[in-house]
Amino acid sequence: MKNILVTGGCGFIGSNFIRYLLSLPGFNSTIINVDKLTYAGNPDNLADIDKSFPERYIFVQSDICDMESMTGVFETYEIDAVCHFAAESHVDRSIVEPGAFLNTNVMGTFNLLELSRKHKDRMVLFHHISTDEVFGSLDDKGLFSETTPYDPSSPYSASKAASDHMVRAYHRTYGFPVTISNCSNNYGPYQFPEKLIPLMITNAKAGKPLPVYGQGHNIRDWVYVEDHCKAVWKIMKGGRHGETYNVGGRCEMRNIDVVNILCDTMDRVDPPADGRSRRDLINFVKDRPGHDYRYAIDCTKLQNELDWIPEESFKTGIEKTIRWYLKNEPWVRRVQTGEYRNWIKQQYEDRERAE
Ligand code: NAD
Ligand code: DAU
């Protein structure tokens, strides 16, 4: 893998993945990060990487749905491997505006598959990043395995399921080298504060209400983002083509327990000025429509085949994450005020002037 196309590299997991790869001793591939810079794409996430690796890190602002522009990327940079993160990723948004999810998650993935097929002779791998949400909802027993039938509930998970099927179809039909990973809920630095954990941290810091859907009894399986990045790289290097690997934190928790731990950890590392517990900010609100009750991942296959296990515990991971958000208050402020988007606006204006 000489020239690795990472899509969605300015988002939460993609930026952590690029940072992880470039920190690995002996890693000497070039990374071409293609990102449309939607509301979730933040160039701040990799500003230091941009400066430190001028030759091995290239950023291209492009929509994966734009076939002409993506054709140029594949040809100019002689892409020989793809790690595809780019997606509309937030379930609540997919309930309000599903169209963008179909475009990016389904048609965008299709475009990348088509371009990879066109350059099949030099393509080493197409790795597709997916989610455990494609499997639907569990009751109190059982775990999702790689053979659990797909049963998506939201427009987001349905669009991810469709893209997974296309990736598998390209392998079966064209003998194309693909791997897929289906991961559970990630948390850690650089996550956009619309998702549960960063929203709760930033609201708790600002003394704002902490909206918990329903009674907070829904269960998610939390994995620290760096553990996910390590899993993806192991799969890209050693995964069997055509195979799917589940990735999970072996860390099932009810939402209300996550929020309580988060409040208690914040009270300890950043005592509130008025001395009141952050738990007082918890506010039970209307439930999400079609809210999946429980996700839980069996990642035995990844452990047995590629020797991966989640290393970070929730206790240490949540404290690291909270400390990151507290320390990076300017990042939070730029995201909350939308200031980080000025850079994007400037890029568009410069491009228009150049044209
Ligand atoms: P994110 O929303 O933080 O980032 C998505 C990135 O994709 C952004 O930088 C955005 O600008 C970019 N993007 C969106 N549409 C694009 C388009 N049309 N063309 C080019 N770039 C585009 O998402 P994330 O949480 O980092 O998730 C990354 C991937 O991991 C997604 O495929 C998601 O389904 C999957 N995933 C996420 C989680 C999680 O807990 N966050 C868990 C499992 C799987
Ligand atoms: O399971 C993997 C998926 O995890 C990824 O595929 C998605 O991209 C990612 O967004 C995430 O989906 P969830 O819907 O599980 O994540 P979210 O952070 O939105 O919500 C986590 C849980 O917390 C869920 O049960 C809903 C609840 N919740 C969420 C928010 C934003 C609340 O109770 N209050 C909130 O304000």
Side-chain angles (χ1 to χ4, degrees), residues 204 207 263-264 266-268 270-282:
C263 288
D264 297 347
M266 276 192 81
D267 289 349
R268 179 166 52 78
D270 181 43
D274 61 7
R276 291 179 61 187
S277 162
R278 260 109 176 185
R279 286 191 187 209
D280 293 351
L281 297 169
I282 293 173

Side-chain angles (χ1 to χ4, degrees), residues 290-308:
H291 197 172
D292 286 335
Y293 169 59
R294 174 171 167 257
Y295 303 146
I297 284 270
D298 176 0
C299 48
T300 316
K301 178 174 173 182
L302 189 53
Q303 180 173 2
N304 290 347
E305 285 190 23
L306 295 169
D307 196 24
W308 176 91

Side-chain angles (χ1 to χ4, degrees), residues 235-265:
I235 297 166
M236 287 183 73
K237 283 191 309 177
R240 285 182 292 134
H241 291 169
E243 291 291 317
T244 292
Y245 294 86
N246 278 357
V247 186
R250 291 193 172 140
C251 174
E252 280 185 58
M253 294 175 74
R254 297 190 312 169
N255 292 337
I256 188 63
D257 298 328
V258 168
V259 177
N260 280 333
I261 292 175
L262 189 148
C263 288
D264 297 347
T265 312

Side-chain angles (χ1 to χ4, degrees), residues 30-289:
T30 300
I31 294 176
I32 297 91
N33 169 16
V34 165
D35 198 300
K36 178 181 175 182
L37 299 180
T38 66
Y39 78 94
N42 183 349
D44 282 359
N45 294 359
L46 289 171
D48 55 329
I49 295 288
D50 210 17
K51 288 204 188 80
S52 314
F53 296 92
E55 271 153 29
R56 289 172 48 221
Y57 170 73
I58 296 160
F59 172 64
V60 180
Q61 185 178 3
S62 172
D63 185 338
I64 55 168
C65 298
D66 180 343
M67 196 55 161
E68 198 183 322
S69 153
M70 291 310 298
T71 301
V73 169
F74 271 74
E75 281 166 11
T76 309
Y77 300 106
E78 299 183 350
I79 301 300
D80 55 20
V82 176
C83 183
H84 177 33
F85 288 94
E88 288 292 341
S89 69
H90 194 46
V91 174
D92 292 330
R93 286 180 190 257
S94 83
I95 295 168
V96 182
E97 256 183 287
F101 288 72
L102 286 231
N103 284 337
T104 289
N105 301 0
V106 184
M107 291 312 292
T109 303
F110 166 69
N111 279 352
L112 296 173
L113 286 168
E114 273 297 271
L115 285 167
S116 304
R117 182 162 79 97
K118 190 170 163 205
H119 297 283
K120 193 177 159 203
D121 290 347
R122 66 163 184 253
M123 285 302 289
V124 181
L125 184 68
F126 186 103
H127 181 73
H128 179 60
I129 303 289
S130 191
T131 168
D132 60 358
E133 298 203 10
V134 296
F135 300 121
S137 184
L138 291 166
D139 57 21
D140 283 313
K141 283 198 232 69
L143 300 171
F144 294 134
S145 79
E146 287 79 1
T147 54
T148 303
Y150 276 30
D151 186 21
S153 305
S154 69
Y156 162 70
S157 50
S159 68
K160 292 296 289 185
S163 63
D164 292 11
H165 289 318
M166 279 311 279
V167 175
R168 264 183 217 112
Y170 268 61
H171 175 69
R172 290 191 201 159
T173 310
Y174 306 112
F176 193 72
V178 310
T179 44
I180 299 180
S181 49
N182 291 81
C183 188
S184 62
N185 286 62
N186 286 219
Y187 68 102
Y190 301 103
Q191 189 168 28
F192 193 84
E194 63 183 353
K195 307 288 197 299
L196 180 73
I197 288 184
L199 179 74
M200 296 296 151
I201 298 174
T202 49
N203 278 12
K205 177 65 187 163
K208 289 187 185 161
L210 308 179
V212 173
Y213 298 164
Q215 291 306 303
H217 290 165
N218 300 64
I219 295 167
R220 296 291 181 266
D221 176 352
W222 293 96
V223 64
Y224 191 66
V225 64
E226 197 173 303
D227 277 331
H228 182 193
C229 295
K230 289 177 183 166
V232 169
W233 188 231
K234 282 203 169 204
I235 297 166
M236 287 183 73
K237 283 191 309 177
R240 285 182 292 134
H241 291 169
E243 291 291 317
T244 292
Y245 294 86
N246 278 357
V247 186
R250 291 193 172 140
C251 174
E252 280 185 58
M253 294 175 74
R254 297 190 312 169
N255 292 337
I256 188 63
D257 298 328
V258 168
V259 177
N260 280 333
I261 292 175
L262 189 148
C263 288
D264 297 347
T265 312
M266 276 192 81
D267 289 349
R268 179 166 52 78
V269 304
D270 181 43
D274 61 7
R276 291 179 61 187
S277 162
R278 260 109 176 185
R279 286 191 187 209
D280 293 351
L281 297 169
I282 293 173
N283 182 23
F284 293 99
V285 298
K286 195 164 173 279
D287 210 349
R288 172 188 280 174

